[in-house]
Amino acid sequence: MNQRHVSATEQSTEPTTGPTHDERATERDQEFDRAIARILRGHGDSRDGVAQEASDDGDAHTDGHTAWDGDQLDLADRRALRRAAGLSTELSDVTEVEYRQLRLERVVLAGVWSSADSNRAEAEVSLQELSALAATAGSDVLAGVLQRRSTPDVATYLGSGKAEALAELVAAEGADTVVCDGELSASQRRGLEDIVKVKVVDRTAVILDIFAQHAKSREGKAQVELAQLEYLLPRLRGWGESMSRQAGGRVAGGAGIGSRGPGETKIELDRRRIRGRMAKLRREIKGMGTARVEKRSLRHARAVPSVSIAGYTNAGKSSLLNRLTGAGVLVENALFATLDPTVRRAQTPEGRPYTLADTVGFVRSLPHQLVEAFRSTLEEVAESDLVLHVVDGSHPDPEGQLAAVRGVLADLYAERGASPVAELVAVNKADVADPEVLDRLLRREKNAVAVSARTGAGIEELLARIAEQLPVPDVELEVCVPYDRGDLVHRVHTTGQVLDEEHTADGTRLLARVRPRLAAELERYRMTRTA
């Protein structure tokens, strides 16, 4: 469908000299009228900046799955309850029966950008991403508008006049929801709803809704609920009949003695209950994280290196995990398809074992509530020996993806007082990416490799680079291990680096590099070198 503008007002000529202050003010006033109002039905048109449906941890360029993705039984379950197209349950005679039409939520997107901190292209990419988020949450995106202003309006986010224009667009499109590309305060949301006369939500609410739909494990559900409550607490709305306002003397209704509210208003009671529930959830999440800490400690004790896969929500992390380990993790053409961390065993080309851990995806302006709630999950990254940072090479702004992920990880390292973990960048979807973009990324990122989880291109090089950057055992020794201690020889091969091996009459002679813990066990079999 063709692009539709909010207004036909256009300036046909450019001033020959620099614009005056009044002209700049007029241009800002008219920016909303010249803003984009694209029809974003379906997958849209990427040439117009329309959002592309992306695959969280899958491949956005295909709806099919390779054999590396496994049976995808979880995906079949997720799609089992989706409405089948082409079927209708509409009644021909509704005189006796009330009928409500089943349909997706119809939304209009609204964004604000300032030339002081971003350019228009970045704002359009952000709006594209919001469109994909809204579609993943289960809505039908009708149109999107952008407005340039120095700062969002404190009362209505867009400003009263521009909010009126948005209300006209909502009425024309028949929308029932407005999604703003930012985090709204309670007053901004209420003020905008009063003008547009439909429900208003912000970017954070959409992301939280997606997480609530996709959370599967007990810990994941608890983390999402905690994030939702943290978001809801400062936004509780009340002050009407249902909130039981306290009053003394003659109140508005004319009642006096006997009409006063309880000692604690309903909104205060709700806040207290939410805080109690949040405290309980934090205790539960902390208890659930104990098992992960114990497993991680066991891996460290056995000197098994760990690699964490981190990256943007549509970069193809789960597809890459499936390709490297055959994990069979869910892959879907949707944002944040997988939330629960998955740890799988892998090995280097020479046979050294290590673990690969898939983590939750990142996104621009990731809600701090989610970062806080999923902190125990993100600790996998801080505790790993290497971070495999996956970036979508076919995305319009891969550098922005890299910066967004690194910003969250930097905050995580700072809070834990830990040093940044070594990073290997995997530029995924190389089979559909622009060669110039790939070349630019590989030149800018000193430690990067181009791969395709779908076709397998570059996987061998990626495995070799991972093996090179895993920590190497630092204790070198020469031992002669008796044949009845084959378990020690096996551990040297699996957790150490064998430089030379010979079978003698007394046992297996090994020249190897091992971890200090294993070196202590082998000390009794150490051979003394003679001059």
Side-chain angles (χ1 to χ4, degrees), residues 180-264:
C180 295
D181 192 16
E183 187 165 328
L184 302 180
S185 66
S187 60
Q188 285 176 324
R189 178 184 171 186
R190 184 164 51 248
L192 191 56
E193 280 185 345
D194 290 342
I195 296 176
V196 300
K197 306 301 182 184
V198 296
K199 181 177 68 174
V200 175
V201 297
D202 58 16
R203 183 187 185 96
T204 299
V206 174
I207 296 176
L208 289 173
D209 185 79
I210 296 172
F211 271 60
Q213 293 180 44
H214 293 177
K216 185 177 180 181
S217 68
R218 181 167 171 259
E219 182 178 9
K221 291 178 180 179
Q223 289 169 327
V224 172
E225 184 181 355
L226 175 60
Q228 288 176 320
L229 292 176
E230 287 181 342
Y231 173 78
L232 175 65
L233 184 60
R235 293 173 174 80
L236 281 181
R237 296 181 62 178
W239 210 248
E241 297 176 358
S242 65
M243 291 295 126
S244 301
R245 285 187 59 188
Q246 297 182 20
R250 291 189 174 274
V251 294
I257 296 175
S259 65
R260 296 179 180 87
E264 183 176 36

Coordinates of all heavy atoms in Angstrom, one line a residue, residues 180-264:
C180 N 3.7 4.7 21.8 CA 4.7 5.8 21.8 C 6.1 5.2 21.8 O 6.3 4.3 22.6 CB 4.5 6.8 22.9 SG 2.9 7.7 22.7
D181 N 7.0 5.7 21.0 CA 8.4 5.2 21.0 C 9.2 5.9 22.0 O 10.1 6.7 21.7 CB 8.9 5.5 19.6 CG 10.2 4.7 19.4 OD1 10.5 3.8 20.1 OD2 11.0 5.1 18.4
G182 N 8.9 5.6 23.3 CA 9.6 6.2 24.4 C 8.9 5.7 25.7 O 7.9 5.0 25.6
E183 N 9.5 6.1 26.8 CA 8.8 5.7 28.1 C 8.0 6.9 28.6 O 8.6 8.0 28.8 CB 9.9 5.3 29.1 CG 9.3 4.7 30.4 CD 10.3 4.0 31.2 OE1 11.2 3.4 30.7 OE2 10.1 4.0 32.5
L184 N 6.7 6.7 28.7 CA 5.8 7.8 29.2 C 5.7 7.8 30.7 O 5.6 6.7 31.3 CB 4.4 7.6 28.5 CG 4.3 7.5 27.0 CD1 2.9 7.3 26.6 CD2 4.9 8.8 26.4
S185 N 5.6 9.0 31.2 CA 5.2 9.1 32.6 C 3.7 8.9 32.8 O 3.0 8.9 31.8 CB 5.6 10.5 33.1 OG 4.8 11.5 32.5
A186 N 3.3 8.7 34.0 CA 1.8 8.5 34.2 C 1.0 9.7 33.7 O -0.1 9.6 33.1 CB 1.6 8.3 35.7
S187 N 1.5 10.9 33.9 CA 0.8 12.1 33.5 C 0.8 12.3 32.0 O -0.2 12.7 31.4 CB 1.4 13.4 34.1 OG 2.8 13.5 33.7
Q188 N 1.9 11.9 31.3 CA 1.9 12.0 29.9 C 0.9 11.0 29.2 O 0.2 11.3 28.3 CB 3.3 11.7 29.4 CG 4.3 12.8 29.5 CD 5.7 12.4 29.1 OE1 6.1 11.3 29.3 NE2 6.4 13.4 28.5
R189 N 0.9 9.8 29.8 CA 0.0 8.8 29.3 C -1.5 9.2 29.5 O -2.3 9.1 28.5 CB 0.2 7.5 30.0 CG -0.7 6.4 29.5 CD -0.4 5.1 30.3 NE -1.5 4.1 30.1 CZ -1.5 2.9 30.7 NH1 -0.7 2.7 31.7 NH2 -2.5 2.1 30.5
R190 N -1.8 9.7 30.6 CA -3.2 10.2 30.9 C -3.5 11.4 30.0 O -4.6 11.4 29.5 CB -3.3 10.5 32.4 CG -4.7 10.9 32.8 CD -4.8 10.8 34.3 NE -3.8 11.6 35.0 CZ -2.8 11.0 35.8 NH1 -2.8 9.7 35.9 NH2 -1.9 11.8 36.4
G191 N -2.6 12.3 29.9 CA -2.9 13.5 29.1 C -3.1 13.1 27.6 O -4.0 13.7 27.0
L192 N -2.3 12.2 27.1 CA -2.5 11.9 25.7 C -3.8 11.0 25.5 O -4.5 11.2 24.5 CB -1.3 11.1 25.2 CG -1.1 10.8 23.7 CD1 -1.1 12.1 22.9 CD2 0.2 10.0 23.4
E193 N -4.1 10.2 26.4 CA -5.3 9.4 26.3 C -6.6 10.3 26.3 O -7.5 10.0 25.6 CB -5.4 8.4 27.5 CG -4.6 7.1 27.3 CD -4.8 6.1 28.4 OE1 -5.4 6.5 29.4 OE2 -4.4 4.9 28.2
D194 N -6.5 11.4 27.1 CA -7.7 12.3 27.2 C -7.9 12.9 25.8 O -9.0 13.3 25.5 CB -7.4 13.3 28.2 CG -7.5 12.8 29.6 OD1 -8.0 11.6 29.8 OD2 -7.0 13.4 30.6
I195 N -6.9 13.1 25.0 CA -7.0 13.7 23.7 C -7.3 12.8 22.6 O -8.2 13.0 21.8 CB -5.7 14.5 23.4 CG1 -5.5 15.7 24.4 CG2 -5.8 15.1 22.0 CD1 -4.2 16.4 24.2
V196 N -6.6 11.7 22.5 CA -6.8 10.7 21.4 C -8.0 9.8 21.6 O -8.5 9.1 20.7 CB -5.5 9.9 21.1 CG1 -4.4 10.8 20.7 CG2 -5.2 9.0 22.3
K197 N -8.5 9.7 22.9 CA -9.7 8.9 23.2 C -9.5 7.4 23.0 O -10.5 6.7 22.9 CB -10.9 9.4 22.4 CG -11.2 10.9 22.5 CD -11.4 11.3 24.0 CE -11.7 12.8 24.1 NZ -11.9 13.3 25.5
V198 N -8.3 6.9 23.0 CA -8.0 5.5 22.9 C -6.9 5.1 23.9 O -6.3 6.0 24.4 CB -7.6 5.0 21.5 CG1 -8.8 5.2 20.5 CG2 -6.3 5.7 21.0
K199 N -6.7 3.9 24.1 CA -5.6 3.4 25.0 C -4.2 3.9 24.5 O -4.0 3.8 23.3 CB -5.6 1.9 25.1 CG -4.6 1.4 26.1 CD -4.7 -0.1 26.3 CE -4.4 -0.9 25.0 NZ -4.4 -2.3 25.2
V200 N -3.4 4.3 25.4 CA -2.0 4.7 25.0 C -1.0 3.9 25.9 O -1.2 3.8 27.1 CB -1.8 6.2 25.3 CG1 -0.3 6.6 25.1 CG2 -2.7 7.1 24.5
V201 N -0.1 3.3 25.2 CA 1.0 2.6 25.9 C 2.3 3.0 25.3 O 2.4 3.7 24.3 CB 0.8 1.0 25.7 CG1 -0.4 0.5 26.3 CG2 0.9 0.7 24.2
D202 N 3.4 2.7 26.0 CA 4.7 3.1 25.6 C 5.5 1.9 25.2 O 5.1 0.7 25.2 CB 5.4 3.9 26.6 CG 5.6 3.2 28.0 OD1 5.4 2.0 28.0 OD2 5.9 3.9 29.0
R203 N 6.7 2.1 24.7 CA 7.6 1.1 24.2 C 7.9 0.1 25.3 O 7.9 -1.1 25.0 CB 8.9 1.8 23.8 CG 10.0 0.8 23.1 CD 11.3 1.6 22.9 NE 12.2 0.7 22.2 CZ 12.4 0.7 20.9 NH1 11.7 1.5 20.1 NH2 13.3 -0.1 20.3
T204 N 8.1 0.5 26.5 CA 8.4 -0.4 27.6 C 7.3 -1.4 27.9 O 7.5 -2.6 28.1 CB 8.7 0.4 28.9 OG1 9.8 1.2 28.7 CG2 9.0 -0.5 30.1
A205 N 6.0 -0.9 27.8 CA 4.9 -1.7 28.1 C 4.8 -2.8 27.0 O 4.4 -4.0 27.3 CB 3.6 -0.9 28.1
V206 N 5.1 -2.5 25.7 CA 5.1 -3.4 24.6 C 6.1 -4.5 24.9 O 5.8 -5.7 24.7 CB 5.3 -2.7 23.3 CG1 5.4 -3.8 22.2 CG2 4.2 -1.8 23.0
I207 N 7.3 -4.2 25.2 CA 8.4 -5.2 25.5 C 8.0 -6.1 26.6 O 8.2 -7.3 26.6 CB 9.7 -4.4 25.7 CG1 10.2 -3.7 24.5 CG2 10.8 -5.4 26.1 CD1 11.4 -2.9 24.6
L208 N 7.5 -5.5 27.7 CA 7.1 -6.3 28.8 C 6.0 -7.3 28.4 O 5.9 -8.4 28.9 CB 6.6 -5.4 30.0 CG 7.7 -4.6 30.7 CD1 7.0 -3.6 31.7 CD2 8.6 -5.5 31.4
D209 N 5.1 -6.8 27.6 CA 4.0 -7.7 27.1 C 4.5 -8.9 26.3 O 4.1 -10.0 26.5 CB 3.0 -6.9 26.3 CG 1.8 -7.7 25.9 OD1 0.9 -7.9 26.8 OD2 1.7 -8.2 24.8
I210 N 5.5 -8.6 25.5 CA 6.1 -9.7 24.7 C 6.8 -10.7 25.6 O 6.7 -11.9 25.5 CB 7.1 -9.1 23.7 CG1 6.4 -8.3 22.7 CG2 7.9 -10.3 23.0 CD1 7.4 -7.5 21.7
F211 N 7.5 -10.2 26.6 CA 8.2 -11.1 27.6 C 7.2 -11.9 28.3 O 7.4 -13.1 28.6 CB 9.0 -10.3 28.6 CG 10.4 -10.0 28.1 CD1 10.7 -9.3 26.9 CD2 11.5 -10.5 28.8 CE1 12.0 -9.1 26.5 CE2 12.8 -10.2 28.4 CZ 13.0 -9.5 27.2
A212 N 6.0 -11.3 28.7 CA 5.0 -12.1 29.4 C 4.4 -13.2 28.6 O 4.1 -14.3 29.1 CB 3.9 -11.1 29.9
Q213 N 4.3 -13.0 27.3 CA 3.8 -14.0 26.4 C 4.8 -15.1 26.2 O 4.4 -16.3 26.0 CB 3.4 -13.4 25.0 CG 2.3 -12.4 25.0 CD 2.0 -11.9 23.6 OE1 2.0 -12.6 22.6 NE2 1.9 -10.6 23.5
H214 N 6.1 -14.8 26.1 CA 7.1 -15.8 25.8 C 7.8 -16.5 26.9 O 8.5 -17.4 26.7 CB 8.1 -15.2 24.8 CG 7.6 -14.8 23.5 ND1 8.3 -14.1 22.6 CD2 6.3 -14.9 23.0 CE1 7.6 -13.9 21.5 NE2 6.4 -14.4 21.7
A215 N 7.6 -16.0 28.1 CA 8.2 -16.6 29.3 C 7.7 -18.0 29.5 O 6.5 -18.3 29.4 CB 8.0 -15.8 30.6
K216 N 8.6 -19.0 29.7 CA 8.2 -20.4 29.7 C 8.6 -21.0 31.0 O 7.8 -21.7 31.7 CB 8.9 -21.1 28.6 CG 8.5 -22.6 28.4 CD 9.1 -23.2 27.2 CE 8.7 -24.7 27.1 NZ 9.3 -25.3 25.9
S217 N 9.8 -20.8 31.5 CA 10.3 -21.4 32.7 C 9.7 -20.7 33.9 O 9.2 -19.6 33.9 CB 11.8 -21.5 32.8 OG 12.3 -20.1 32.9
R218 N 9.8 -21.4 35.1 CA 9.3 -20.8 36.3 C 10.1 -19.5 36.7 O 9.6 -18.5 37.1 CB 9.4 -21.8 37.5 CG 9.0 -21.3 38.8 CD 8.8 -22.4 39.8 NE 8.6 -22.0 41.2 CZ 9.5 -21.9 42.1 NH1 10.8 -22.3 41.8 NH2 9.2 -21.5 43.3
E219 N 11.4 -19.6 36.5 CA 12.3 -18.4 36.8 C 11.9 -17.3 35.8 O 11.9 -16.1 36.2 CB 13.7 -18.8 36.7 CG 14.7 -17.6 37.0 CD 16.1 -18.0 37.0 OE1 16.4 -19.1 36.5 OE2 17.0 -17.2 37.4
G220 N 11.8 -17.6 34.5 CA 11.5 -16.6 33.5 C 10.2 -15.9 33.8 O 10.1 -14.7 33.7
K221 N 9.1 -16.6 34.2 CA 7.8 -16.0 34.5 C 8.0 -15.1 35.7 O 7.4 -14.0 35.8 CB 6.8 -17.1 34.8 CG 6.4 -17.9 33.5 CD 5.4 -19.0 33.9 CE 5.0 -19.8 32.6 NZ 4.1 -20.9 32.9
A222 N 8.8 -15.5 36.7 CA 8.9 -14.7 37.9 C 9.7 -13.4 37.6 O 9.4 -12.3 38.1 CB 9.7 -15.5 39.0
Q223 N 10.7 -13.5 36.7 CA 11.5 -12.4 36.3 C 10.6 -11.4 35.6 O 10.7 -10.1 35.8 CB 12.7 -12.8 35.5 CG 13.7 -13.5 36.2 CD 14.8 -14.1 35.3 OE1 14.5 -14.6 34.2 NE2 16.0 -14.2 35.8
V224 N 9.7 -11.9 34.7 CA 8.9 -11.0 33.9 C 7.8 -10.3 34.8 O 7.6 -9.1 34.7 CB 8.2 -11.8 32.8 CG1 7.1 -10.9 32.1 CG2 9.2 -12.2 31.8
E225 N 7.3 -11.1 35.8 CA 6.3 -10.5 36.7 C 6.9 -9.4 37.5 O 6.3 -8.3 37.8 CB 5.7 -11.6 37.6 CG 4.6 -11.0 38.5 CD 4.0 -12.1 39.4 OE1 4.4 -13.3 39.3 OE2 3.2 -11.7 40.3
L226 N 8.2 -9.6 38.0 CA 8.9 -8.6 38.8 C 9.1 -7.3 37.9 O 8.9 -6.2 38.4 CB 10.2 -9.2 39.2 CG 11.1 -8.2 40.0 CD1 10.4 -7.7 41.2 CD2 12.5 -8.8 40.3
A227 N 9.5 -7.5 36.7 CA 9.7 -6.3 35.8 C 8.3 -5.6 35.6 O 8.3 -4.3 35.6 CB 10.3 -6.8 34.5
Q228 N 7.3 -6.3 35.4 CA 6.0 -5.7 35.2 C 5.5 -4.9 36.4 O 5.0 -3.8 36.3 CB 4.9 -6.7 34.8 CG 5.1 -7.3 33.4 CD 4.1 -8.4 33.2 OE1 3.8 -9.2 34.0 NE2 3.5 -8.4 31.9
L229 N 5.7 -5.5 37.6 CA 5.3 -4.8 38.8 C 6.2 -3.5 39.1 O 5.7 -2.5 39.5 CB 5.4 -5.7 40.0 CG 4.4 -6.9 40.1 CD1 4.7 -7.8 41.3 CD2 3.0 -6.3 40.1
E230 N 7.5 -3.6 38.8 CA 8.3 -2.4 38.9 C 7.9 -1.3 38.0 O 8.0 -0.1 38.3 CB 9.8 -2.8 38.6 CG 10.4 -3.6 39.7 CD 11.9 -4.0 39.4 OE1 12.3 -3.9 38.2 OE2 12.6 -4.3 40.3
Y231 N 7.4 -1.7 36.8 CA 6.9 -0.7 35.8 C 5.6 -0.1 36.3 O 5.3 1.1 36.1 CB 6.8 -1.4 34.5 CG 6.1 -0.5 33.4 CD1 6.8 0.5 32.8 CD2 4.8 -0.7 33.0 CE1 6.2 1.3 31.8 CE2 4.2 0.1 32.1 CZ 4.9 1.1 31.5 OH 4.3 1.9 30.5
L232 N 4.7 -1.0 36.9 CA 3.4 -0.6 37.2 C 3.4 0.3 38.5 O 2.5 1.2 38.6 CB 2.5 -1.8 37.5 CG 1.1 -1.6 38.0 CD1 0.3 -0.8 37.0 CD2 0.4 -2.9 38.3
L233 N 4.2 0.1 39.4 CA 4.2 0.7 40.7 C 4.1 2.3 40.7 O 3.2 2.8 41.3 CB 5.4 0.3 41.6 CG 5.4 0.8 43.0 CD1 4.2 0.4 43.8 CD2 6.7 0.4 43.7
P234 N 5.0 3.0 39.9 CA 4.8 4.4 39.9 C 3.7 4.9 38.9 O 3.5 6.1 38.8 CB 6.2 4.9 39.4 CG 6.7 3.7 38.5 CD 6.1 2.5 39.2
R235 N 3.0 4.0 38.3 CA 2.0 4.3 37.3 C 0.6 3.9 37.7 O -0.3 3.9 36.8 CB 2.4 3.7 35.9 CG 3.6 4.3 35.3 CD 4.0 3.6 34.0 NE 5.1 4.2 33.4 CZ 6.4 4.0 33.7 NH1 6.7 3.2 34.8 NH2 7.4 4.6 33.1
L236 N 0.4 3.6 38.9 CA -0.9 3.2 39.4 C -1.8 4.5 39.2 O -1.5 5.6 39.6 CB -0.9 2.8 40.9 CG -0.4 1.4 41.2 CD1 -0.5 1.1 42.6 CD2 -1.3 0.4 40.4
R237 N -3.0 4.2 38.6 CA -3.9 5.3 38.4 C -5.1 5.2 39.3 O -5.7 4.2 39.5 CB -4.4 5.3 36.9 CG -3.2 5.6 35.9 CD -3.8 5.6 34.5 NE -4.7 6.7 34.3 CZ -5.3 6.9 33.2 NH1 -5.0 6.2 32.1 NH2 -6.2 7.9 33.0
G238 N -5.4 6.3 39.9 CA -6.6 6.3 40.8 C -7.0 7.8 41.0 O -6.5 8.7 40.4
W239 N -7.8 8.0 42.0 CA -8.3 9.3 42.3 C -9.8 9.4 42.0 O -10.4 10.5 41.9 CB -7.5 10.4 41.6 CG -7.5 11.7 42.4 CD1 -8.1 12.9 42.1 CD2 -6.8 11.9 43.6 NE1 -7.8 13.8 43.0 CE2 -7.0 13.3 43.9 CE3 -6.0 11.2 44.4 CZ2 -6.4 13.9 45.1 CZ3 -5.4 11.7 45.5 CH2 -5.6 13.0 45.8
G240 N -10.4 8.3 41.8 CA -11.8 8.3 41.5 C -12.6 7.5 42.5 O -12.1 7.3 43.6
E241 N -13.7 7.0 42.1 CA -14.6 6.3 43.0 C -14.0 5.0 43.6 O -14.2 4.7 44.7 CB -15.9 6.0 42.4 CG -16.7 7.3 42.0 CD -18.0 6.9 41.2 OE1 -18.2 5.7 41.0 OE2 -18.7 7.9 40.9
S242 N -13.3 4.3 42.7 CA -12.7 3.0 43.1 C -11.5 3.1 44.0 O -11.1 2.1 44.6 CB -12.3 2.2 41.8 OG -11.3 2.9 41.2
M243 N -11.0 4.3 44.2 CA -9.8 4.5 45.0 C -10.1 4.9 46.4 O -9.2 5.0 47.3 CB -8.9 5.5 44.4 CG -8.2 5.1 43.1 SD -7.1 3.6 43.3 CE -7.8 2.5 42.1
S244 N -11.3 5.1 46.8 CA -11.7 5.4 48.2 C -10.9 6.5 48.8 O -10.2 6.4 49.8 CB -11.6 4.1 49.0 OG -12.4 3.1 48.6
R245 N -11.0 7.7 48.2 CA -10.3 8.9 48.7 C -10.7 9.2 50.1 O -11.9 9.1 50.5 CB -10.5 10.1 47.8 CG -9.8 10.1 46.5 CD -10.0 11.4 45.8 NE -9.5 12.5 46.6 CZ -9.7 13.8 46.3 NH1 -10.3 14.1 45.2 NH2 -9.2 14.8 47.1
Q246 N -9.8 9.5 51.0 CA -10.1 9.9 52.3 C -10.7 11.3 52.3 O -10.3 12.1 51.4 CB -8.9 9.9 53.2 CG -8.2 8.5 53.4 CD -7.0 8.6 54.3 OE1 -6.9 9.5 55.0 NE2 -6.2 7.6 54.2
A247 N -11.6 11.6 53.1 CA -12.2 12.9 53.1 C -12.7 13.2 54.5 O -13.1 12.3 55.3 CB -13.3 13.0 52.1
G248 N -12.8 14.5 54.9 CA -13.3 14.9 56.2 C -14.3 15.9 56.0 O -14.3 16.7 55.0
G249 N -15.2 16.1 57.0 CA -16.2 17.1 56.9 C -17.2 16.9 55.7 O -17.5 15.7 55.4
R250 N -17.6 17.9 55.1 CA -18.5 17.8 53.9 C -17.6 17.6 52.7 O -16.9 18.4 52.3 CB -19.4 19.0 53.8 CG -20.4 19.1 54.9 CD -21.4 20.3 54.6 NE -22.4 20.3 55.6 CZ -23.5 19.6 55.5 NH1 -23.7 18.7 54.5 NH2 -24.4 19.7 56.4
V251 N -17.8 16.4 52.1 CA -17.1 16.1 50.8 C -17.9 16.6 49.7 O -19.0 17.1 49.8 CB -16.8 14.6 50.8 CG1 -15.8 14.2 51.9 CG2 -18.0 13.8 50.9
A252 N -17.4 16.3 48.4 CA -18.0 16.8 47.2 C -19.4 16.4 47.1 O -20.3 17.1 46.6 CB -17.2 16.4 46.0
G253 N -19.7 15.1 47.5 CA -21.0 14.6 47.4 C -22.0 15.1 48.4 O -23.2 14.8 48.3
G254 N -21.6 15.9 49.3 CA -22.5 16.4 50.3 C -22.6 15.6 51.6 O -23.2 16.0 52.5
A255 N -21.9 14.4 51.6 CA -22.0 13.6 52.8 C -20.9 14.0 53.8 O -19.9 14.5 53.5 CB -21.8 12.1 52.4
G256 N -21.1 13.7 55.0 CA -20.2 14.1 56.1 C -19.8 12.9 56.9 O -19.2 12.0 56.5
I257 N -20.3 12.9 58.2 CA -20.0 11.8 59.1 C -20.6 10.5 58.6 O -21.7 10.5 58.1 CB -20.6 12.2 60.5 CG1 -20.0 13.4 61.1 CG2 -20.5 11.0 61.5 CD1 -20.6 13.9 62.4
G258 N -19.8 9.5 58.7 CA -20.2 8.2 58.3 C -19.8 7.9 56.8 O -20.0 6.8 56.3
S259 N -19.3 8.9 56.1 CA -19.0 8.7 54.7 C -17.5 8.7 54.4 O -17.1 8.7 53.3 CB -19.6 9.8 53.8 OG -19.1 11.1 54.1
R260 N -16.7 8.9 55.5 CA -15.3 9.0 55.3 C -14.7 7.7 54.8 O -15.2 6.6 55.3 CB -14.6 9.5 56.5 CG -15.0 10.9 57.0 CD -14.3 11.3 58.2 NE -14.7 12.7 58.6 CZ -15.7 13.0 59.3 NH1 -16.5 12.0 59.7 NH2 -16.0 14.2 59.6
G261 N -13.6 7.7 54.1 CA -13.0 6.5 53.6 C -12.2 5.8 54.7 O -12.1 6.3 55.8
P262 N -11.7 4.6 54.3 CA -10.9 3.9 55.3 C -9.6 4.6 55.7 O -9.2 5.6 55.0 CB -10.6 2.6 54.6 CG -10.7 2.9 53.2 CD -11.7 4.0 53.0
G263 N -8.9 4.2 56.7 CA -7.7 4.8 57.1 C -6.6 4.7 56.0 O -5.7 5.5 56.0
E264 N -6.7 3.7 55.1 CA -5.7 3.6 54.1 C -6.5 3.6 52.7 O -7.4 2.8 52.6 CB -4.9 2.3 54.2 CG -3.8 2.1 53.2 CD -3.0 0.8 53.5 OE1 -3.6 -0.1 53.9 OE2 -1.8 0.9 53.3

